[in-house]
Amino acid sequence: MISVLSSKDREEIFNTMTDFQIDVIMNHVMYRVKSELLTASFWKGIHWELLGVNYDRLYRKKLNQRKYKPSLYCECGRSLKYQYVVKSKETGEILELGKECFTQRTGIPERIAEEIYNSRNKINIFQDEILSAYKFRKRFPIELYNEIHLNKVDDKWSPYYNKKILDFKKANLPLFHRDQDKLENDLIEYKVRKRQLKRLLGVNFEVEYTENYVYLIKYMENRILNDRKLNQGERKKLIQDLYKISKAVNESISTDFAKLTANKRNLITVEYIDPLNVKIKNFNLSYKEALSESRNIARKIMDYANGKK
């Protein structure tokens, strides 16, 4: 349900929050708005890229009522409520602009500038969802998160998403409804998968895993469990191999990486590990090929660590 607040309502709720809570809301609201703008089709053929969308939540307050002085300005010197940061793809020039100067300084057509400027409506929608929930005393779902973290369900989240959830946890803020739904669904899926694995492999089977490098279980487990072309025996054997090889490969890489410099680790990750994870994620390899390539990469990294390459 979308809740739209008045400017007065927003200010009243913001005034009950800490600076850190406000920063968390604005940082993630801006990230979401920027992501939606960057994927919009109208950027095709435009020689500018959007670097950021900034918002001064206290723009209309008098200076003596503000916690801080105006910090957002246009290139022309005018203070701004909404600031758009763009970079020229041709020269690398970065401009911080308001609506009035956006079209004049960049040459971006007015209809597109208007669409970009209308992102302020999305900013309000996203932040108002959190503010409304906070006003009615909703806070971070700590019990749900603790169960997720205890069972390592968050190991499958992206680094950005994990940071986002931890930011909201630290600030004790309610989540966007989509994020709340994701946490609940992730936990449900984990419990369903755990029951499937226990039926397949026996009640004593441990589902826990840690994958810091090669993501075999993360990308392959559900595919194997739901692959109707496999019979029960084939499925059981592949799952057993999956857990055994994933543990061996990731522990081997971790041990060998400890012998290498950070620069060397980064090079090996880019050259070997990242391409393999992409192939596994996109299912460009058969089950057996994925397991075999994972072992081969662990051997190559061991050779690097022992000075053979």
Side-chain angles (χ1 to χ4, degrees):
M1 180 179 178
I2 297 175
S3 301
V4 180
L5 302 172
S6 67
S7 297
K8 181 180 178 182
D9 288 337
R10 287 187 200 107
E11 289 182 10
E12 287 178 352
I13 299 170
F14 272 133
N15 283 335
T16 67
M17 293 180 164
T18 66
D19 289 343
F20 178 70
Q21 288 177 317
I22 295 168
D23 287 342
V24 168
I25 292 174
M26 297 318 305
N27 287 340
H28 290 290
V29 164
M30 291 307 165
Y31 180 91
R32 188 164 174 179
V33 171
K34 179 187 170 184
S35 296
E36 292 200 7
L37 285 174
L38 286 175
T39 57
S41 59
F42 55 67
W43 286 103
K44 188 176 181 180
I46 293 179
H47 301 299
W48 293 85
E49 61 177 311
L50 184 70
L51 297 183
V53 181
N54 300 317
Y55 166 66
D56 184 348
R57 63 181 180 83
L58 298 178
Y59 175 73
R60 297 192 182 281
K61 275 198 171 186
K62 294 179 181 179
L63 287 177
N64 61 358
Q65 297 176 323
R66 296 167 63 106
K67 291 183 179 179
Y68 56 86
K69 294 180 180 180
S71 57
L72 304 181
Y73 291 89
C74 180
E75 296 291 329
C76 69
R78 180 183 301 177
S79 63
L80 299 171
K81 182 175 184 179
Y82 296 96
Q83 181 193 69
Y84 302 87
V85 185
V86 291
K87 178 180 178 181
S88 170
K89 295 179 182 178
E90 297 174 341
T91 66
E93 180 184 16
I94 296 176
L95 298 176
E96 298 174 337
L97 303 168
K99 181 185 178 184
E100 288 74 15
C101 293
F102 197 90
T103 302
Q104 298 172 11
R105 295 294 297 269
T106 64
I108 294 175
E110 286 188 13
R111 64 177 181 81
I112 294 176
E114 189 65 28
E115 286 193 58
I116 296 169
Y117 183 68
N118 284 339
S119 64
R120 69 192 190 281
N121 296 326
K122 290 188 176 181
I123 291 171
N124 287 338
I125 289 172
F126 292 150
Q127 71 175 5
D128 287 356
E129 179 182 338
I130 303 298
L131 295 179
S132 295
Y134 188 86
K135 178 181 179 181
F136 290 103
R137 302 189 181 282
K138 288 187 179 180
R139 296 296 184 265
F140 184 81
I142 188 64
E143 291 183 5
L144 173 62
Y145 174 81
N146 285 344
E147 189 173 1
I148 283 173
H149 187 63
L150 178 66
N151 291 294
K152 300 185 179 180
V153 180
D154 49 344
D155 280 3
K156 296 191 176 186
W157 294 347
S158 69
Y160 167 74
Y161 191 78
N162 193 49
K163 181 182 183 304
K164 174 184 179 180
I165 298 302
L166 289 176
D167 283 349
F168 275 79
K169 175 178 177 285
K170 186 176 180 181
N172 195 21
L173 289 169
L175 296 170
F176 293 107
H177 74 276
R178 290 182 183 176
D179 294 320
Q180 179 77 25
D181 290 346
K182 175 175 170 54
L183 265 63
E184 291 173 356
N185 290 334
D186 282 359
L187 186 58
I188 290 171
E189 287 178 8
Y190 164 77
K191 291 179 177 179
V192 169
R193 192 173 69 252
K194 186 175 181 179
R195 287 196 294 270
Q196 286 179 294
L197 288 168
K198 287 193 178 295
R199 282 198 299 269
L200 183 67
L201 302 172
V203 293
N204 295 323
F205 179 76
E206 290 295 330
V207 184
E208 293 184 9
Y209 70 93
T210 300
E211 293 185 316
N212 297 320
Y213 306 102
V214 177
Y215 300 128
L216 286 168
I217 297 172
K218 177 177 180 178
Y219 295 132
M220 291 178 59
E221 185 182 74
N222 280 339
R223 287 196 178 107
I224 294 173
L225 286 172
N226 299 314
D227 190 341
R228 296 183 179 181
K229 294 179 182 178
L230 299 172
N231 62 43
Q232 197 74 340
E234 291 171 327
R235 193 176 290 117
K236 180 176 180 178
K237 178 66 167 61
L238 279 171
I239 289 289
Q240 288 173 331
D241 288 347
L242 183 69
Y243 272 81
K244 182 172 68 176
I245 294 172
S246 175
K247 185 174 187 294
V249 164
N250 281 284
E251 287 182 355
S252 173
I253 293 174
S254 180
T255 300
D256 292 328
F257 266 12
K259 304 173 186 177
L260 300 171
T261 64
N263 185 50
K264 191 59 127 177
R265 290 198 296 268
N266 290 335
L267 289 173
I268 291 174
T269 299
V270 171
E271 185 174 357
Y272 293 112
I273 296 175
D274 288 348
L276 175 62
N277 282 329
V278 169
K279 285 195 286 186
I280 296 172
K281 180 179 180 180
N282 295 332
F283 213 36
N284 294 332
L285 299 171
S286 69
Y287 299 127
K288 292 181 180 179
E289 286 172 338
L291 299 178
S292 177
E293 283 205 26
S294 299
R295 282 186 296 230
N296 288 338
I297 280 185
R299 292 191 192 101
K300 288 179 181 179
I301 294 172
M302 182 174 64
D303 287 341
Y304 271 107
N306 293 330
K308 293 182 180 180
K309 291 195 178 185

